[in-house]
Amino acid sequence: MTVGSVAEKQSGLADVFAAPARAGKLKVAAVEIRLPEPSLDVTPPPPRIDALIVRLQLSDYRGQRYWEDGVAAPIRDIAAGEILFHDLRRGPRLVLDQSYHALHVHIPRAAFDAIAADSNAVPIGDLDYAPGVGLEDPTIAGLGASILTGLRVGLARNQPFVDHLVLALAAHVAGRYGGMTAKPRAVRGGLAPWQARRAREILAANLDGGAPLAEVARQCGLSVGHFSRSFRQSFGTTPHQWLVQRRLEAAKDLIRSCRMPLSNVALSCGFADQSHLTRVFTREVGASPAAWRREVQQ
C-alpha cells in the first residue's frame, strides 16, 4: 500500500471530492487541499467508485451545504479539527461559497478488504456515519496531523513512515465506523532468518524510505500486517523505527569521519534535508549534529 502526496491544491473544483488519479486497487492518496478563493459553485459529481474520502477539516467552514445521492443534508457549521466521511459511491457534492482548507485521505474498498483479511475479520459493509456531519475523533485527527506534517516537510518520500500512518487510520475507521472486529490468532514467532536478512538488505539499501512496506513484505512472502508484527518480534521495533536508527548510524559515521557539509550528510543518509536531520538527531542523540561533530572531532 503506497501513498501519493500533493502538498497543496490551489485550484480546480474537481479536486475537492474527485479521487486522485493515481489511486489504484490498493493505493491510498493523501492530499492537502487549500482553496483560498470561494467559487460560489457546487463541486462537480465525482466518479462513482467504491472508495471513501476521510476529510480532516483544517479551517472553520460555516453553513456547509452538502448532498449525497442528490439528497441535501442539513446545513451545518464544520469546525476545524472535525472529521467527515464522503462515500464516493454516493456522489458527494458541496457548495464552495467560502475558502476551503482540508486534508483528504482517499481509501479504496480494496484497502479495507485487505485490512480485514489481514486481521482475520469479516470485510466491512457501509460505514456508520451521517452525511455532512462533522465528528470529533482524536485518533483520526492525530494521524491526520502527522500525515499533514509529512506532506509539508517531505516525509511523504519515506514510504514505511507514511504507510504506517495510513494503515493505522484505515484500520481505525474500519473498526470504529465499520464494526470490524479482528478474531484472535495463534501467537506466531518472528521472521525466519532468511526473511530477516532480506528485510534488512532492502531497508538498508533504501535509507530514503523509497521501498514501500508492501514491497518489503512481498519479498518476504508475507502480508503487510503479518510482516510488521513479525518484524517487531524479531527486531523489537517497527520497520520505520529500525530505518531511523540505521540513518542515524550512517549519519554518525559520516560526521565522525569527514567534514562533509551537514546538508550533504542529510541527503546521503535518507533525511529530507538538514533541518530534518537536525530534528531527529537532536531528539535521539541529545545533541545537534554540529555540536556532536565538535565533540567527537576534538
Side-chain angles (χ1 to χ4, degrees), residues 17 55 57 61-67 73-78 84 86 93-95 97-98 100 131-134:
F17 289 123
R55 166 183 159 196
Q57 194 66 29
Y61 199 90
R62 303 298 183 188
Q64 172 183 270
R65 289 184 286 168
Y66 177 80
W67 295 260
I75 296 176
R76 292 180 179 272
D77 292 339
I78 307 299
L84 296 94
H86 304 296
R93 304 184 73 181
L94 171 70
V95 173
D97 56 358
Q98 56 196 282
Y100 183 91
V133 176

Side-chain angles (χ1 to χ4, degrees), residues 164-217:
H164 276 292
L165 293 177
V166 175
L167 284 170
L169 188 151
H172 173 77
V173 170
R176 179 167 179 179
Y177 303 98
M180 188 186 78
T181 303
K183 299 176 183 178
R185 296 177 182 266
V187 177
R188 299 177 180 177
L191 297 171
W194 74 268
Q195 292 171 322
R197 182 173 62 255
R198 184 62 180 143
R200 284 196 303 266
E201 290 172 352
I202 298 173
L203 292 172
N206 293 274
L207 287 180
D208 63 352
L213 199 61
E215 176 60 21
V216 184

